[in-house]
Each structure stands twice: as structure tokens, then as C-alpha cells.
Amino acid sequence: MSPKLPLPEPLASISRHNLLYPFLFSPIHPLPSLSSHLNKSRAGNKSQCQSRKEARVSLYAKREDHSSPLACAGNKYRKLEYIVPDILSSQPRFGAGVGSELPAIPGSAGSSNGADGNDRDRKITTLVTEGALQSNHTVQVASVARKLGLESVVLLHKGTGGGLRSSSDPRAFTRTGNVQIVKLLGSDVRILDPPEPDPVSGKTKTQDELVEKVLEGLRSEGKNPYWIPSGASLHPLGGLGYARCAFEIAAQEQEMSEELLQDGSSSAQSQDTRPKAEPFGPARFDYIFVACGSGSTLAGLIAGFKLLEKTQRQPQLTNARPRQIIGILTSPTQPKPYHEERILRFARQAGSLIGLDPEKDITMADVRLDDRFVGSGYGVLDPGTKKTLEFVAEREEVILDPVYTAKVMRGVMGWDFGKGEGEQGNVNALFIHTGGQSALGAYADL
Ligand SMILES: *Cc1c(COP(=O)(O)O)cnc(C)c1O
């Protein structure tokens, strides 16, 4: 597929440092066995909905786990593409510390530096980030640091859970999977115990205070650290990667429908008796499903598709129903409204940078979250999620990750398609595979 991606201004002019395969889009492919399973099980439920004609679902996957040649490709590389120019700049605008991630005001360079203004004139030496023990994000930051010739410090919080407590082998959980890979990438890995009350003052440090202490420590060693918050979502530029990805998906929709016009029945001769992909109907995905963890993947997509709808000139599509972008929550730690507020804030932040009117163009109605599959804990493999992971491996030869994508797929398989207006025909649904399989080693009993 063509690497050229036409983007509208001002998005096209925002600095980006390429971390993905330079001449490729991340692939989209059909999931024929899962589509067939979905349509069969829905047909089995007919009695409930005889009055309306059934929609047929064609399910596809976008493989963000195949987006980059860098270690353990996943969704964080796209976000980091827009953060690297700030890291490499002689006067970084962001990354000074935990509290300094104020909303960016477009065009006001240098407006949100922390207190250490003088240090910020020196080149960044060290990327610092955090996550749960089996965090995929920290692997991608460590690998970008290497790529840029910088050091990295990775803080892994035992207190965030992430499957440690439920692991049958906690010792292995702290050494295998992503922890092992972060170390292979040469990162300074610091596993932090949950903060405890100070014996004198009785006060308990917050995780943020622990981070600030690490940053101070690095500065006292003469280093100039750049802080990237968990999942890069609180970073003011964190939503841009997936805003751009919306345009990539739209370009692929276009290519897929052109291909279909040219070559509608090429697979008819195949010996393979397994289910075939359903034909790709109208040139768009009606549903897009993606994990919602720290939130800027979903938020970026929301902003990007809004801009696409506003700027695209495809008259044949103006009557089509808008794509529904659905975030599947992956952790029960915080309630749905907490995430809704964040997603709206991140989407508006990205929107303001790419030329939308944030308040008017993006509203709470655009934020669609499903919290039915959060399970018993962040990173905890509950029986339903485990079953889905195994099912997808057996049916499609696709390996999901235990923390995010298996929960998303549960959401897809449990979705009540065909409720929307005009959905009686073919419904195209896109599952975004955001990566994360490198954590599997820590879940050896799966
Ligand atoms: C980080 C991550 C997510 C969640 O993305 P957010 O932008 O944090 O919501 C989903 N899947 C995988 C594999 C991840 O590593």
C-alpha cells in the first residue's frame, strides 16, 4: 500500500518523526472465521428480533502490532512519533515534570515549561516513563530512546497491579515478558513498591512524588530528563498519532473498495473450505473498536475522524452514517465517567491542534465507551477474556494480548450489531489490534 497519506492543514505541517514502517500502512485484513461465527450466533438469536432484517457483519483487523520495525510494535509508537520532535528540540516545550503537562495552547511555543527553565535549554539526555509491571508503553519508550541515542529510565509500579497479585508465579511476573524486553533494550528499570507512609510524618508519597524524586535525582547527576506520562496520554501531543491514523484508515477504506470494484470474485476458485471474507460493502467501516486504557488512542481517533468528516470531499459518502468509534474499557480501577471526561479532554486537545473547534466539533456524544468487559482487574486474565484469547488463536491464528486486545475482542463478539438505523445490509466493523503480545510470557499459565 502507498505510504503517501494526504492530510489537511494544519495536521499536515505538525512535526512528526517517523517510527513506523516508512513505506507501509499497518495492514488491514478480514477475520472471516470470526465474522462467520458472529453471523451464525446472531442468526441463532433470531427469535428476539424477527421483526427487523438481520445485518451481516464483516469483521476486519487493523494490525497496529505490525506497524513498526521497532521492538514489540504497538500503539505507542504512533503517539511517540509526534512527541519525538519536542524531545529532540533544543528547547522542549513539554516533559519537564509530572505537574507541567498543562494543556498546549497552539502557537505559544515554550508556554508550558516547568520551573527549571534554564535546564530546558540543554539537550535531553534521558527519557523517563512509567507503567504497570507488564507495561507495553515502557518497552516502546525504551526502544525509541535507543533509536534516538538517549538513555531511558523505566519506572514500573508494583502498586498498579497489572496482574502481579493474581499471578501464580509473581517472581516470574516481575522478570519475564515486557520486563525482560525493557532490560534487553538497555533501559534502567526500577521496580517501585507501592508508596508507604513515612514513619515520622505519617504521610504517604503519591506515585507522582516518587516520579519527581527520580527526575530530581537524574538532574543532580547532570542529566536532562524528559518525562513521558503513562501511555503518553497526558502529554499534550499524545493524541496526534491516532488523529493521523484516522486518515490512514480512511485511505485504506478507499483502496479496499477500489480493489473490490476491480476484482470482486477472485477467491471463488480457492480450495480452502473455511469461511471467506464477506464482500466489503460501502467504502467505510461502520464500527471501529479499540482498547481504552490511558485514553489517547481512542481520543486521537475521535478527533481525527471528526476532522476527516469536516474536510473530506467524497460526495458519494455524505449520506452514509458516521463511523462509530467505540472504546472498550480494559480496567475496572476507575468508573466510566472518569474515562469519558478524560477522552473528551484528550480529543479536544488533539482537535485544537489539528484545526477543529474543540468545544463545538467534539462533544460528549462522540465519546462511546463500553465498560462491560473490564473484568476483575487491570491486567487480570478473567475466564471470559482467556476464552476469547484462545478462541481467536484457534479460529484466526491471530494472537491477542491478555491485558487489552482480548478484552476488546470480547466487546466485539458481544456487540449487538444491527441496532442502528439503516444497518440492515452489510455492516463493516474494524477491530484495532494495538499489540501487547510481548506480555504473554508473564502469563505462562494461560
Ligand atoms: C497502551 C495500550 C493500549 C491502550 O491505549 P491507550 O491509548 O492507553 O488507551 C491498548 N493496547 C495495548 C496493547 C497497549 O499497549
Side-chain angles (χ1 to χ4, degrees), residues 4 72 95 100 107 205 211 273 317 329 332 357 371 381 426 437 444:
K4 273 249 168 264
C72 310
S100 68
K205 278 200 163 57
V211 169
T273 54
L317 289 179
L329 283 176
D357 178 341
D371 64 354
L381 197 62
N426 228 31
Q437 297 99 322

Side-chain angles (χ1 to χ4, degrees), residues 75-76 79 136-137 231 233 291-297 401 404 434-436:
N75 60 339
K76 307 307 182 304
K79 305 185 192 192
N136 306 303
H137 163 78
S233 289
C292 179
S294 66
S296 60
T297 302
D401 86 291
Y404 297 98
T434 41

